[in-house]
Amino acid sequence: MAETKKNPIRTRVAFVGGVFTLWLAIIGARAVYIQVVRGDALSRKASAQYEASVQATGRRGNIYDCKGREMAVSLDAVSICAYPGRISDVRATSAVLADTLRIDRKTLVQRLSDNRPFVWVERQVSPRESQAVGSLQLGGIDFREECKRFYPNRTLAAQLLGFTGIDGKGMEGLEFRYNPDLTGDDQQRTVLRDALGRGFGAEVPAAAPDPRGHDLVLTLDRTVQFIAEQALKEAVDTFSAASGMAVVMVPETGAILALAHYPFFNPNTYQTFDRWQWRNRAITDPFEPGSTLKIFTAAAAIEKGGLGPHSIFFCENGAYRIGSHTVHDTHAHGWLS
């Protein structure tokens, strides 16, 4: 009778043990599947949740005049960005940001309602605006450090220097022509993020190259440029001209000491000026010099000698052939003094 009573207990123990053994086997198999079969894929997925790859562009090189004085420099700036998926109340956040940054509220609502994981709110804001937005502690709003191009002499040599866009790429003048040399090298950095998506650390490659772009030294003399621009402005205003250009160079070498244009424009706020004022017209707008070269011809004749006020020349009846080209005068002339 005792052995008969023990059989149900042994059966239950064996059953429970079997269940636990089967359960442990399932857990073990699942662990092997997760760790071995899908280990790499899940590791990458986990890393994506706390790591982010950020591309940083090196600081743009400076532009100097012939005496090493700064004509264009790069300054540290802060831009405000947003992660739309982490913003709980888009309209409330947009209203606060619009009032603080003085930007259009409807445009900001559309931008923050976007399905993209990252959008810009405002690029290269002032320190006061950055501090004001930071004090609001808005969820989903973050800050990015950037470089902002600055021209300390304002309108001086603006058409020659040109300017860069919001992304630091040259758009006009020397900034455009030498953009590959001035632009810094790009660097990929791994940024760690907490549960709220806030970055708190960056991994810099051990053998990272110098990200700074090359500097550019001009033959331009800032003092001569200023004098040329003031003289040009005075001449244009005196004779009520629409615009003017002036070039100062070293005769022996052809080095440009000044290249002035009027009206002026400020490359720091180039968006507020007409496009035609951006252009370096002394270089980009070709025209026939015409009578302005007569003085050089006369000077060469005097220096060579053998010619006088009564010497006469045949003017080819207004058409003079040079190689495969024919130079035309505005009027056909035969013999002239």
Side-chain angles (χ1 to χ4, degrees):
M1 293 295 293
E3 291 182 1
T4 303
K5 292 181 180 179
K6 289 180 182 180
N7 287 336
I9 298 176
R10 289 178 178 177
T11 302
R12 286 196 295 268
V13 170
F15 175 76
V16 173
V19 170
F20 274 102
T21 301
L22 179 61
W23 183 251
L24 290 175
I26 294 174
I27 294 176
R30 181 64 176 172
V32 171
Y33 173 75
I34 293 175
Q35 295 291 334
V36 178
V37 179
R38 297 200 59 197
D40 293 340
L42 293 176
S43 295
R44 290 192 297 268
K45 187 175 181 180
S47 298
Q49 295 180 355
Y50 63 84
E51 291 182 356
S53 181
V54 177
Q55 179 172 301
T57 301
R59 183 182 292 268
R60 191 174 180 85
N62 295 336
I63 300 179
Y64 301 95
D65 78 343
C66 63
K67 296 182 179 178
R69 292 171 292 193
E70 294 177 337
M71 303 294 290
V73 297
S74 292
L75 304 177
D76 293 331
V78 175
S79 294
I80 302 174
C81 60
Y83 305 99
R86 303 173 193 162
I87 299 176
S88 56
D89 192 337
V90 171
R91 293 191 175 276
T93 301
S94 300
V96 175
L97 287 175
D99 293 339
T100 305
L101 300 175
R102 297 180 181 179
I103 55 181
D104 184 66
R105 183 180 302 183
K106 292 182 179 180
T107 303
L108 195 55
V109 169
Q110 294 176 353
R111 196 176 300 169
L112 298 184
S113 301
D114 203 305
N115 293 326
R116 292 180 296 173
F118 173 91
V119 295
W120 289 110
V121 174
E122 190 75 357
R123 303 287 295 275
Q124 299 175 1
V125 299
S126 66
R128 180 180 299 178
E129 291 173 329
S130 174
Q131 185 177 3
V133 174
S135 64
L136 298 175
Q137 296 184 349
L138 299 172
I141 303 300
D142 202 358
F143 301 88
R144 291 280 181 91
E145 292 184 359
E146 293 189 300
C147 288
K148 180 180 181 180
R149 202 60 164 170
F150 179 68
Y151 303 90
N153 304 302
R154 303 182 66 188
T155 61
L156 193 71
Q159 284 85 356
L160 176 64
L161 295 173
F163 51 83
T164 64
I166 194 70
D167 292 318
K169 303 298 182 183
M171 297 175 63
E172 286 285 345
L174 295 176
E175 293 278 25
F176 175 78
R177 171 63 179 81
Y178 291 97
N179 186 68
D181 301 296
L182 292 167
T183 302
D185 295 329
D186 293 338
Q187 284 187 321
Q188 291 287 343
R189 296 185 179 184
T190 301
V191 178
L192 304 180
R193 301 181 300 191
D194 60 13
L196 298 178
R198 297 172 298 189
F200 61 88
E203 178 185 345
V204 182
D210 184 5
R212 180 184 171 88
H214 297 290
D215 293 332
L216 183 63
V217 180
L218 311 177
T219 61
L220 195 82
D221 188 304
R222 191 174 70 180
T223 303
V224 179
Q225 177 73 26
F226 177 78
I227 295 172
E229 288 188 359
Q230 295 307 307
L232 181 62
K233 179 181 183 301
E234 182 179 351
V236 170
D237 292 342
T238 300
F239 296 99
S240 301
S243 62
M245 295 174 284
V247 180
V248 181
M249 68 166 55
V250 180
E252 293 81 7
T253 63
I256 303 297
L257 296 178
L259 201 156
H261 294 77
Y262 187 80
F264 306 138
F265 88 95
N266 188 345
N268 294 306
T269 55
Y270 66 89
Q271 306 94 327
T272 62
F273 294 85
D274 293 332
R275 287 179 176 268
W276 71 269
Q277 293 179 257
W278 302 348
R279 196 170 66 252
N280 185 350
R281 289 175 288 120
I283 303 298
T284 62
D285 292 11
F287 60 93
E288 295 182 6
S291 297
T292 58
L293 286 183
K294 288 180 180 178
I295 187 172
F296 297 102
T297 305
I302 293 172
E303 183 178 5
K304 184 175 179 61
L307 299 174
H310 301 292
S311 300
I312 59 174
F313 302 87
F314 183 61
C315 299
E316 306 291 337
N317 292 319
Y320 183 66
R321 189 170 183 82
I322 303 176
S324 60
H325 301 279
T326 301
V327 180
H328 294 89
D329 199 350
T330 56
H331 300 88
H333 295 287
W335 290 92
L336 291 176
S337 63

